[in-house]
Amino acid sequence: MSADIFVIEPQWIVQAPHLRCTLKRALALQAKQNVWASTEHINNARVMAYGDQLPDSGRWELTRSQLRTLKIAIEWRRAKHAASDQKTAPDILEHWTEIEDEVIAAYRAVSNEAGLYWI
């Protein structure tokens, strides 16, 4: 495995659909809310939301750029939709939070390895 790839292995079937949905919502609102400031991240989001890079089961092999795209989308979702999360079953919300936290931690780890300051 290349040092430029980070592997995440979702543990719950609800995790990949949640992140794909988060990406699709962010893409749908990109023009109004400017979720991502870079075309690179918009393109990453499209590929991950509609492609096969975030399968329901099995490992995800993501680049640092893809991890950053996900991190930005996760932070956007948390800021915009935290109130609606209260309507989500606690066990589902726990699994969503687990994968979101894992993605953010992975982005921090690869950024730190590269000697980059992460935001």
Side-chain angles (χ1 to χ4, degrees):
M1 185 68 40
S2 168
D4 297 333
I5 300 294
F6 192 87
V7 175
I8 294 180
E9 294 192 42
Q11 301 301 310
W12 303 96
I13 193 77
V14 298
Q15 292 174 326
H18 166 65
L19 288 184
R20 288 192 306 268
C21 181
T22 296
L23 290 166
K24 288 174 185 176
R25 285 182 179 174
L27 285 165
L29 294 171
Q30 174 64 26
K32 288 183 179 179
Q33 297 185 9
N34 199 25
V35 179
W36 298 282
S38 160
T39 303
E40 175 186 8
H41 295 297
I42 295 168
N43 291 338
N44 284 343
R46 283 189 183 119
V47 169
M48 289 187 289
Y50 297 103
D52 61 357
Q53 291 190 317
L54 300 178
D56 290 346
S57 61
R59 55 196 281 160
W60 304 343
E61 296 178 0
L62 304 171
T63 65
R64 185 172 61 83
S65 177
Q66 290 171 316
L67 288 170
R68 179 156 171 74
T69 299
L70 281 168
K71 175 193 163 294
I72 293 167
I74 289 165
E75 290 171 345
W76 167 82
R77 189 200 69 76
R78 287 179 173 179
K80 299 293 180 184
H81 301 286
S84 64
D85 285 351
Q86 301 307 315
K87 299 174 187 171
T88 305
D91 58 331
I92 300 293
L93 187 56
E94 179 182 337
H95 299 323
W96 287 359
T97 302
E98 284 174 11
I99 199 66
E100 290 175 348
D101 290 347
E102 187 173 347
V103 167
I104 291 169
Y107 177 71
R108 287 179 187 166
V110 296
S111 294
N112 288 341
E113 269 183 30
L116 301 171
Y117 173 74
W118 66 274
I119 359 182

